[in-house]
């Protein structure tokens, strides 16, 4: 019985080595080659990236980036200089460094509870709000009635362009066009007056 288990083990190891060699030899120039390399190394690269970054979503992005870069630079891979695994790990290290740099360049996003704290901590002066409303009403008054109506319906009453178009008997694209051009004109009027929203 022990001899049979050894035979199964030897055959299993040979099969695994042959499969691994096939994965090593797979050309990253083809979709099948990239797929084979991903099946072989994707999960360990994901673990490596997650350990380095501490963010599972960012780690998944890095692994996708690794295989994209490997596919694009498949001509530069030389199996005589190293294994495919080593080459992919070197690409992963570079992608992780790039991810760290991008993360440090952007300010961190606030969570919903932090955003609520910021808005409640910052008191808005009611006189500034009143002045902003008056300035906005005057600027809206300078628009054409068609533009003015669509802007008020969509932005102040919360309706959709499709609903406004149905009510006015217009095509939805016409309502969106009126909204776009009206907002552009409104922005120009507000900028001309030096308006700053509170």
């Amino acid at each position: 019985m022990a001899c049979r288990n050894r035979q199964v083990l030897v055959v299993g190891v040979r099969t695994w080595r042959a499969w691994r060699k096939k994965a090593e030899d797979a050309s990253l120039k083809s979709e099948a080659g990239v797929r084979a390399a991903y099946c072989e190394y994707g999960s360990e690269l994901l673990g490596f990236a997650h350990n380095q970054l501490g963010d599972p979503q960012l780690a998944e992005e890095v692994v996708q980036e690794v295989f994209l870069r490997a596919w694009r630079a498949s001509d530069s891979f030389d199996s005589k200089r190293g294994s495919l695994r080593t080459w992919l790990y070197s690409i992963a290290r570079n992608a992780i460094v790039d991810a760290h740099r991008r993360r440090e360049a952007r300010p961190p996003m606030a969570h919903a509870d932090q955003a609520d704290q910021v808005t409640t901590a910052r008191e808005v002066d009611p006189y500034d709000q009143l002045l902003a409303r008056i300035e906005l009403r005057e600027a809206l008054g300078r628009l054409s009635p068609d533009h003015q109506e669509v802007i008020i319906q969509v932005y102040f009453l919360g309706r959709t362009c499709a609903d406004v178009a149905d009510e006015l008997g217009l095509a939805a694209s016409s309502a969106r066009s009126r909204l776009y051009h009206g907002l552009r004109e409104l922005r120009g009027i507000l900028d001309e007056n030096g308006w700053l929203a509170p």
Side-chain angles (χ1 to χ4, degrees), residues 96-111:
I96 288 168
V97 168
D98 293 344
H100 274 300
R101 287 180 182 158
R102 279 193 307 271
R103 189 186 326 176
E104 291 172 4
R106 286 187 232 143
M109 292 179 60
H111 295 287

Side-chain angles (χ1 to χ4, degrees), residues 3-194:
C3 185
R4 179 160 167 72
N5 288 340
R6 181 161 166 60
Q7 281 180 328
V8 170
L9 181 63
V10 169
V11 171
V13 168
R14 284 184 188 154
T15 305
W16 177 80
R17 283 185 182 154
W19 182 77
R20 181 145 177 127
K21 179 69 176 153
K22 186 178 177 185
E24 286 287 329
D25 293 340
S27 171
L28 292 176
K29 294 178 184 177
S30 69
E31 183 180 333
V34 173
R35 190 174 290 137
Y38 183 81
C39 288
E40 177 69 19
Y41 305 111
S43 60
E44 68 180 270
L45 285 170
L46 180 62
F48 175 68
H50 185 267
N51 287 339
Q52 296 295 316
L53 297 167
D55 182 357
Q57 291 174 335
L58 190 56
E60 287 178 9
E61 290 176 19
V62 164
V63 171
Q64 289 176 2
E65 181 69 22
V66 166
F67 283 97
L68 180 65
R69 289 181 187 184
W71 174 67
R72 287 181 178 161
S74 61
D75 292 335
S76 66
F77 172 65
D78 184 8
S79 60
K80 294 174 189 153
R81 294 176 55 199
S83 68
L84 179 61
R85 181 179 185 268
T86 306
W87 187 61
L88 290 172
Y89 267 90
S90 66
I91 295 172
R93 280 192 296 276
N94 292 335
I96 288 168
V97 168
D98 293 344
H100 274 300
R101 287 180 182 158
R102 279 193 307 271
R103 189 186 326 176
E104 291 172 4
R106 286 187 232 143
M109 292 179 60
H111 295 287
D113 56 340
Q114 292 172 339
D116 291 341
Q117 291 172 359
V118 170
T119 55
T120 56
R122 185 181 63 202
E123 293 293 325
V124 179
D125 186 11
Y127 295 110
D128 286 343
Q129 284 182 331
L130 178 63
L131 181 61
R133 285 184 188 142
I134 293 170
E135 289 175 339
L136 186 59
R137 181 172 288 166
E138 288 175 0
L140 279 168
R142 291 176 54 186
L143 295 177
S144 70
D146 293 337
H147 291 147
Q148 186 180 35
E149 184 173 13
V150 173
I151 290 173
I152 290 171
Q153 291 288 329
V154 172
Y155 279 98
F156 296 107
L157 300 178
R159 300 186 64 207
T160 65
C161 278
D163 291 341
V164 174
D166 285 342
E167 183 178 302
L168 297 176
L170 299 171
S173 59
S174 298
R176 285 192 297 272
S177 177
R178 286 184 185 182
L179 181 66
Y180 172 78
H181 291 292
L183 286 174
R184 244 177 80 185
E185 190 177 341
L186 181 65
R187 203 172 288 128
I189 293 168
L190 293 172
D191 287 344
E192 180 184 297
N193 293 340

